[in-house]
Amino acid sequence: MDLLGLLNISHKDIELLNFEEDDIRDFMLCNYPILNADILADVLKLSDGLPILVDLFLKGFKEKGVLDNNMQVRKYIRQITESLTEKELKIAQIIALLSITKANISTNLLNSVISDFNENDITILESNALIEFHPIKREIKMHDIFRDFINSYYIMQEQKYILKLYRFFKVNSTEYESAYYAILVEDISIKDLIIPTIEKAISSENFSFLLLFGEHIKNIFGFQSSIGNISNRTFCTILLGYLEGLIGVGDYPAAKEIIDRCALTIRGNNISIHLRLSLLIANLYHLQNQYQEAIASYEILLNEINSKVYGENCLKYEAKCLWGIAHSYRHEGLNYTLAEAYYREAITSAQVTNQRSIILKCRFELVTIYILQNNQIAAHFELKLIDKIFKDLPSDQYIVSAK
């Protein structure tokens, strides 16, 4: 059996044959010696291990001598969906929507959304490789590639079911789960309701939700608010949350890529979100050890705040900028005197706006400088001030960073 014949057998048969990725790669190398290891690696990566897509990419390479990009995959999946009946496509669309938040979908859950499907409908979708069905568990699974294509291509046609799913999950699940469907509803006012959910996730450092939700927007709308009919404020709050998630898990290159991609949107945002995004960008430079770039970013933002461009309500960000400059100088380790001067300015500014978290960070980092300089007297003095701040706190209060 050649590879294309092998890849036409069902997923279940492949599982029985117990093929591993290395086995498929070895098989391809033996039967397609014209393909080098890099091409085969690309085939496996682009296909995400899905046999039907491995077949697609190998055929494309054989015909054109190059690997087609994702557009070919979309064209191929579109051909599959267009071959379905109206009813079968409707079921596939609802499964794709449910797959946003459910890895495995019970037939009972599917039945609560659309009741007029039967076993034959599921069998047809499975024969087209759009889903996998476990007859004993009565569970359906749709591959992410198919889910994302169906949702992005047909999303605006399914408002009736999206609204139904949004209301269902709002009542029967968490606010985080319902947010995935709220953003798909055409009504901008419903989309705006997810802002507190994202802010809550940022405050609680729920990076898992922030990352998955950001990927959700990227997969369906490509981070273009105009396509998704999303208000600028909601879109930029989502962007802020996604960046917080990426930076929170240390994926700095991905965060930089998103910032570069959405630079114009960031500049045109409302004051509060603009400041928070700008602070994130400066912090990202610092996290990537680009201290001079971080200092320059903080100074630009500081000049804007001090020129009263943003008004008195934004003075709380002044202390953050001053701390960021001091923190970057401390990391560089070249001018501790300058770092200490900015820490003192940050403390003064934070005292005006009662930001004890900033004051504590500044004093703790001053202690590290004094320890490096072997200045025990100054270090002990700062530690006493730190101790006083904690003693003055109510018993039920803790320090949180100001957003």
Side-chain angles (χ1 to χ4, degrees), residues 376-388:
Q376 294 185 19
I377 295 174
H380 280 299
F381 180 75
E382 291 297 331
L383 287 170
K384 285 181 179 178
L385 292 174
I386 291 169
D387 185 55
K388 185 178 186 305

Side-chain angles (χ1 to χ4, degrees), residues 214-227:
E215 289 294 314
H216 174 55
I217 300 301
K218 184 166 72 172
N219 290 336
I220 294 189
F221 301 126
F223 269 123
Q224 298 181 56
S225 59
S226 57
I227 294 177

Side-chain angles (χ1 to χ4, degrees), residues 125-347:
L125 294 180
E126 188 173 32
S127 68
N128 281 281
L130 287 176
I131 64 168
E132 294 177 12
F133 178 60
H134 197 297
I136 297 174
K137 293 182 178 179
R138 309 294 296 168
E139 287 182 341
I140 300 163
K141 183 177 177 63
M142 177 175 279
H143 195 280
D144 293 354
I145 292 174
F146 298 133
R147 176 201 68 192
D148 293 339
F149 169 80
I150 292 172
N151 282 330
S152 62
Y153 191 77
Y154 295 102
I155 200 72
M156 301 315 289
Q157 303 174 23
E158 296 306 317
Q159 283 299 302
K160 171 186 172 183
Y161 290 104
I162 292 170
L163 270 168
K164 188 171 183 178
L165 286 171
Y166 164 66
R167 289 165 182 153
F168 174 85
F169 282 102
K170 191 170 180 62
V171 172
N172 297 288
S173 189
T174 67
E175 60 185 315
Y176 291 122
E177 205 161 14
S178 64
Y180 287 92
Y181 300 99
I183 201 65
L184 303 180
V185 177
E186 283 185 331
D187 188 339
I188 290 181
S189 63
I190 291 180
K191 294 177 192 281
D192 288 345
L193 293 176
I194 70 169
I195 292 177
T197 302
I198 296 170
E199 294 286 8
K200 178 182 175 182
I202 292 173
S203 297
S204 61
E205 298 186 348
N206 187 345
F207 298 140
S208 175
F209 168 74
L210 294 171
L211 289 171
L212 291 173
F213 196 73
E215 289 294 314
H216 174 55
I217 300 301
K218 184 166 72 172
N219 290 336
I220 294 189
F221 301 126
F223 269 123
Q224 298 181 56
S225 59
S226 57
I227 294 177
N229 193 30
I230 308 170
S231 72
N232 186 263
R233 180 167 171 252
T234 299
F235 180 75
C236 289
T237 304
I238 294 169
L239 183 61
L240 178 70
Y242 189 39
L243 289 171
E244 289 273 13
L246 289 169
I247 293 172
V249 299
D251 195 347
Y252 306 142
K256 179 65 166 57
E257 181 184 344
I258 294 297
I259 288 169
D260 291 342
R261 185 174 175 179
C262 302
L264 289 176
T265 304
I266 292 171
R267 290 193 191 101
N269 201 0
N270 66 69
I271 292 171
S272 177
I273 298 292
H274 168 76
L275 288 170
R276 292 167 66 185
L277 282 169
S278 298
L279 284 167
L280 264 183
I281 293 169
N283 187 41
L284 183 60
Y285 280 127
H286 139 252
L287 291 169
Q288 294 179 303
N289 301 326
Q290 298 173 329
Y291 300 120
Q292 284 304 310
E293 290 85 349
I295 290 168
S297 296
Y298 282 122
E299 285 179 338
I300 290 170
L301 194 52
L302 190 60
N303 288 334
E304 291 177 347
I305 294 168
N306 289 336
S307 65
K308 307 301 182 186
V309 171
Y310 299 124
E312 296 291 331
N313 291 334
C314 295
L315 279 178
K316 66 178 181 179
Y317 296 107
E318 179 187 63
K320 280 180 169 283
C321 290
L322 291 165
W323 167 81
I325 294 170
H327 187 77
S328 297
Y329 276 126
R330 184 179 71 96
H331 267 302
E332 270 193 324
L334 300 176
N335 195 331
Y336 287 133
T337 301
L338 196 53
E340 181 180 354
Y342 273 104
Y343 277 129
R344 297 294 175 201
E345 283 191 60
I347 290 169

Side-chain angles (χ1 to χ4, degrees), residues 20-35:
E20 299 290 340
E21 184 176 291
D22 289 343
D23 297 327
I24 296 176
R25 184 184 288 107
D26 292 342
F27 190 91
M28 288 193 291
L29 283 170
C30 291
N31 290 272
Y32 291 82
I34 190 174
L35 303 181

